[in-house]
């Protein structure tokens, strides 16, 4: 049971869809204890609460399709233990130069033709240089002209860089917290947790929407997963887009031999994200292929309503577009048709 003595009223008391919306809107901040209590609910009870929340805030039940393109691959100076793009790890990923504008636009056209609403551009930088911002700004303008939502993930940003991206028309900036603050140093030492929060603040101050989530299955405890979601849910406002990645162990990285997270625990994570961030698009990201169709279906049932869509996710595989379409059709799920950004501010 959730603590009924705190400001946040337990969702277990909700009697109707209208009550659910009222309760969640008035809930204020989430404590780690409350989120852990959600994780500890019987699986069916948790799934029901997640479905109720999802139905209330997304009555259409549509799934957003986003395509992610690595516009600058490999050679990153960071030491993120999960990442094959780190220059210090011996992986199959080779450092490449920033892609040209026309090549990026061709990829964006293909993504739109395949049904994507959002086109995300990722670069393996610790932080971009101003000359990089100018080149990415041209890409943003070109992709926007195609009628797609735009998102970029380029590493840490200064305030003026965030402003420049916003002026170019960028809708979303992705910068993940990755995990809880107390587990963070077990995974990354070259960038501090506060650095990530500062970048998110710069993005908000510039007027862009935030895409922020993390990776589960890196060896963290359930309580640390709860703390990670609490940090996300208590951002003001919480992110419009919350990508939840399932670790894909890659040979040559420190997490290459990490045992996979139990699938039900991953589904629980999706459900808790839905309940605590009810208006966000909760996205199934890296690791979907390894989860399989049945677990993905449970994730949609738990409130996931966005997927990275296409053949490649930066440097790890992703289910083919036709397979995704077939699964969504079998589940009777519609895809989001509009490319207008959904914002919380």
């Amino acid at each position: 049971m959730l603590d009924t003595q705190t400001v946040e009223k337990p969702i277990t008391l909700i009697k109707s869809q209208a009550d659910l919306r009222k309760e969640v809107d008035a809930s204020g901040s989430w404590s780690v204890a409350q989120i852990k209590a959600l994780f500890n609910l019987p699986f069916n009870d948790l799934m029901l609460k997640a479905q109720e929340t999802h139905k209330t805030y997304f009555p259409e039940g549509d799934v957003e399709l986003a395509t992610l393109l690595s516009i600058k691959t490999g050679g990153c100076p960071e030491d993120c233990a999960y990442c094959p793009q780190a220059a210090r790890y011996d992986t199959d990923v080779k450092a490449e130069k920033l892609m040209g504008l026309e090549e990026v636009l061709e990829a964006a056209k293909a993504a739109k033709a395949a049904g994507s609403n959002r086109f995300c551009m990722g670069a393996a930088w610790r932080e971009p240089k101003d000359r990089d911002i100018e080149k990415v700004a041209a890409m943003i303008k070109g992709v926007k002209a195609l009628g797609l939502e735009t998102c970029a993930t380029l590493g840490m940003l200064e305030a003026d860089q965030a402003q420049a991206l916003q002026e170019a028309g960028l809708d979303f900036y992705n910068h993940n917290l990755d995990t809880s603050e107390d587990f963070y140093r077990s995974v990354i030492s070259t960038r501090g947790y506060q650095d990530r929060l500062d970048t998110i603040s710069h993005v908000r101050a510039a007027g862009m929407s935030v895409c922020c989530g993390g990776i589960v299955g890196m060896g963290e405890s359930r309580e640390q997963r709860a703390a990670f979601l609490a940090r996300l849910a208590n951002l003001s406002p919480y992110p419009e887009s919350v990508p939840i990645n399932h670790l894909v162990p890659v040979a040559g990285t420190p997490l290459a031999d990490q045992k996979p997270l139990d699938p039900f625990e991953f589904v629980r994570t999706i459900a808790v994200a839905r309940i605590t961030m009810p208006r966000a698009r909760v996205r199934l990201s890296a690791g979907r292929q390894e989860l399989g169709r049945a677990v993905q279906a449970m994730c949609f049932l738990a409130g996931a309503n966005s997927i990275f869509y296409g053949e490649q996710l930066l440097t790890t595989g992703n289910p083919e577009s036709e397979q995704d379409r077939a699964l969504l059709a079998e589940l009777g799920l519609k895809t989001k048709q509009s490319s207008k950004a959904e914002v919380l501010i």
Side-chain angles (χ1 to χ4, degrees):
M1 288 287 292
L2 299 177
D3 183 359
T4 59
Q5 301 304 309
T6 58
V7 174
E8 300 84 356
K9 297 178 181 179
I11 298 178
T12 49
L13 298 181
I14 294 168
K15 302 299 183 183
S16 69
Q17 295 295 317
D19 287 340
L20 176 60
R21 183 183 293 275
K22 182 179 178 181
E23 292 289 343
V24 177
D25 283 344
S27 65
S29 62
W30 287 88
S31 70
V32 175
Q34 286 175 304
I35 294 180
K36 190 176 178 182
L38 285 174
F39 267 104
N40 291 339
L41 285 171
F43 188 79
N44 287 356
D45 291 349
L46 176 60
M47 292 290 279
L48 177 59
K49 296 178 196 309
Q51 289 172 53
E52 290 174 338
T53 306
H54 188 212
K55 187 66 174 178
T56 297
Y57 286 85
F58 292 92
E60 294 298 316
D62 59 355
V63 177
E64 177 191 66
L65 304 180
T67 294
L68 175 60
L69 175 70
S70 180
I71 60 173
K72 195 283 173 191
T73 303
C76 182
E78 304 270 27
D79 69 350
C80 306
Y82 52 80
C83 187
Q85 300 202 69
R88 67 191 67 206
Y89 304 140
D90 184 15
T91 67
D92 292 334
V93 178
K94 305 301 179 185
E96 298 177 2
K97 294 181 179 180
L98 182 67
M99 292 174 65
L101 175 60
E102 290 305 316
E103 191 177 2
V104 171
L105 294 183
E106 285 302 311
K109 290 175 185 176
K112 183 177 181 181
S116 286
N117 309 106
R118 186 184 302 179
F119 190 72
C120 307
M121 293 163 278
W125 290 319
R126 173 179 167 79
E127 67 272 307
K129 297 181 174 61
D130 289 342
R131 65 174 181 270
D132 300 320
I133 294 291
E134 293 177 8
K135 293 176 181 177
V136 175
M139 297 175 186
I140 293 166
K141 292 175 182 177
V143 174
K144 287 282 287 185
L146 297 174
L148 289 165
E149 285 181 12
T150 53
C151 180
T153 178
L154 315 171
M156 294 183 291
L157 292 182
E158 297 296 336
D160 60 331
Q161 293 177 321
Q163 189 61 43
L165 293 174
Q166 188 276 334
E167 290 173 0
L170 189 65
D171 297 302
F172 289 81
Y173 192 79
N174 166 259
H175 200 65
N176 289 337
L177 294 183
D178 279 353
T179 189
S180 65
E181 190 167 6
D182 67 332
F183 188 70
Y184 184 84
R185 283 299 179 192
S186 300
V187 182
I188 302 165
S189 69
T190 51
R191 183 188 312 187
Y193 209 74
Q194 187 60 48
D195 292 328
R196 294 180 179 269
L197 295 170
D198 289 345
T199 289
I200 293 168
S201 294
H202 294 327
V203 170
R204 280 293 187 208
M208 289 182 285
S209 294
V210 169
C211 176
C212 184
I215 306 172
V216 297
M218 296 191 292
E220 76 284 352
S221 65
R222 175 178 281 187
E223 183 162 355
Q224 287 166 328
R225 278 189 291 281
F228 155 63
L229 291 177
R231 177 69 78 151
L232 285 176
N234 290 334
L235 292 173
S236 185
Y238 53 76
E240 286 86 352
S241 182
V242 181
I244 304 295
N245 298 272
H246 187 286
L247 176 70
V248 179
V250 178
T253 64
L255 291 177
D257 298 322
Q258 180 64 43
K259 294 181 180 179
L261 185 69
D262 181 270
F264 291 123
E265 187 70 10
F266 184 79
V267 176
R268 284 181 180 275
T269 303
I270 296 295
V272 173
R274 167 54 59 218
I275 293 166
T276 56
M277 292 170 278
R279 290 181 289 162
R281 286 279 176 179
V282 177
R283 178 180 299 136
L284 297 181
S285 300
R288 271 203 306 126
Q289 192 169 33
E290 288 73 16
L291 291 173
R293 287 160 49 85
V295 176
Q296 287 185 67
M298 283 194 290
C299 289
F300 289 126
L301 195 62
N305 60 353
S306 178
I307 59 172
F308 269 131
Y309 175 75
E311 297 182 4
Q312 188 81 0
L313 273 185
L314 296 181
T315 57
T316 59
N318 199 40
E320 302 247 353
S321 300
E322 289 188 9
Q323 294 177 11
D324 286 333
R325 287 283 187 182
L327 177 60
L328 294 174
E330 285 186 53
L331 297 176
L333 295 173
K334 299 178 293 184
T335 57
K336 180 186 173 188
Q337 297 302 305
S338 171
S339 290
K340 182 179 180 181
E342 300 159 335
V343 300
L344 299 181
I345 56 174

